[in-house]
Amino acid sequence: MSRRARGRLAADAGLVVVLAAFVTPLAWLVLASLDAEATLRVRPPDSPTLENFSAVLTDEITFTPMRNSLLLCGGATALTVACAALAAYPLSRFRSRFSRPYLLTILFTTCLPVTAVMVPVYGLFVQINLIDTLYGTALFLAASQLPFAIWLMKNFMDGVPRVLEEAAWTDGASWWQSLLRVVLPLMGPGVSVVAIYSFVMMWGNFFVPFMLLLSPEQMPASVSIFTFFGNYGAVVYGQLAAFSILYSTPVILLYVLVSRRLAGGFALGAAVKG
């Protein structure tokens, strides 16, 4: 066997190992959700059943937490995208010696762990009566995702030719109209990337809603999932797997809905020529 063939074989073996590392948990998730006596072992169920899904499809376990998650993460994502677009526009279109230090500062803030700021944030929320409110928690989630969203949005906005805005200005459009009717429609895939990234990061966030929301009826699904972990290490694995599949469904549907738009990429060449 030649050296090149051995290298290719080693690369293929490495890819198989990586694939197994990703497929094994997913296989357990699907098989355990159909097994009434599921354990941590990856094994086909003796008699597949939908009892686990029937057990978790209740208002208290699934529907109310999922509704809270959609309201919380959906509202925070919309706020993040809107604020990121407004902040990225002057950074992309106007040159200043402070732009790069400002962007580096924004990028640095994404490195700060959320646990480092939760104590003062909790105290602030208590003082201004935002504790145990969905809109207050959504504001903090949006603020925590905003720095990286601005960075991403600015890079996407740089790809939109400025000549298109100048043409709109010649026709009497304001900067606000050029942003809404020229820039943002052309960078649709970029806006989708920012929205998906922000939504996914918020959807899986456990610590922030766990700290800022106190009422059980306001808890999102990322927190209520811990109800499947009982005392003394007891876990209802089948119901946990079924709930996890339901919990991941909105993120998968969101990606499917925008995947065609993402695949289209940026088609700015024809717009410039036109």
Side-chain angles (χ1 to χ4, degrees):
M1 183 180 296
S2 65
R3 183 176 180 180
R4 183 176 181 180
R6 289 196 301 269
R8 180 176 299 176
L9 183 62
D12 292 341
L15 290 176
V16 170
V17 172
V18 173
L19 178 63
F22 281 95
V23 170
T24 301
L26 296 178
W28 177 86
L29 199 66
V30 174
L31 295 176
S33 67
L34 301 175
D35 191 352
E37 300 178 354
T39 62
L40 284 177
R41 295 179 56 189
V42 181
R43 62 182 180 85
D46 296 330
S47 55
T49 178
L50 296 177
E51 292 181 1
N52 293 322
F53 289 95
S54 300
V56 300
L57 285 175
T58 63
D59 288 335
E60 182 181 358
I61 297 177
T62 299
F63 296 120
T64 298
M66 291 287 282
R67 182 201 64 192
N68 293 337
S69 290
L70 290 173
L71 292 175
L72 183 66
C73 300
T77 299
L79 183 61
T80 299
V81 172
C83 293
L86 293 176
Y89 184 76
L91 292 173
S92 175
R93 290 301 186 255
F94 303 105
R95 301 300 176 217
S96 172
R97 61 178 180 176
F98 300 107
S99 295
R100 183 171 178 81
Y102 181 75
L103 287 172
L104 292 177
T105 302
I106 289 177
L107 189 61
F108 171 75
T109 58
T110 62
C111 302
L112 295 176
V114 68
T115 52
V117 298
M118 279 310 301
V119 173
V121 167
Y122 185 87
L124 176 64
F125 271 48
V126 171
Q127 292 182 6
I128 60 179
N129 295 323
L130 284 180
I131 199 71
D132 198 25
T133 60
L134 284 176
Y135 64 89
T137 307
L139 286 175
F140 180 73
L141 285 174
S144 63
Q145 293 298 323
L146 190 56
F148 195 70
I150 292 175
W151 183 275
L152 281 178
M153 192 75 75
K154 190 263 181 187
N155 290 333
F156 285 120
M157 200 169 288
D158 288 341
V160 179
R162 192 169 182 175
V163 64
L164 299 177
E165 290 180 84
E166 294 175 350
W169 295 337
T170 302
D171 293 335
S174 63
W175 71 268
W176 176 256
Q177 291 173 323
S178 65
L179 174 63
L180 290 180
R181 299 182 181 182
V182 178
V183 179
L184 291 180
L186 288 175
M187 54 176 294
V191 175
S192 300
V193 168
V194 175
I196 291 176
Y197 174 82
S198 301
F199 185 85
V200 170
M201 296 300 294
M202 297 174 190
W203 188 260
N205 193 309
F206 163 79
F207 188 69
V208 171
F210 179 74
M211 291 293 296
L212 300 182
L213 295 175
L214 307 178
S215 304
E217 62 272 10
Q218 297 202 74
M219 291 296 179
S222 59
V223 178
S224 66
I225 195 173
F226 277 81
T227 58
F228 297 101
F229 294 83
N231 296 325
Y232 308 108
V235 183
V236 187
Y237 290 110
Q239 295 181 19
L240 175 62
F243 182 83
S244 299
I245 291 177
L246 296 174
Y247 176 56
S248 60
T249 301
V251 176
I252 297 175
L253 290 178
L254 176 64
Y255 177 76
V256 171
L257 290 174
V258 301
S259 60
R260 293 180 60 184
R261 188 172 183 85
L262 290 176
F266 294 94
L268 301 179
V272 175
K273 294 178 181 179

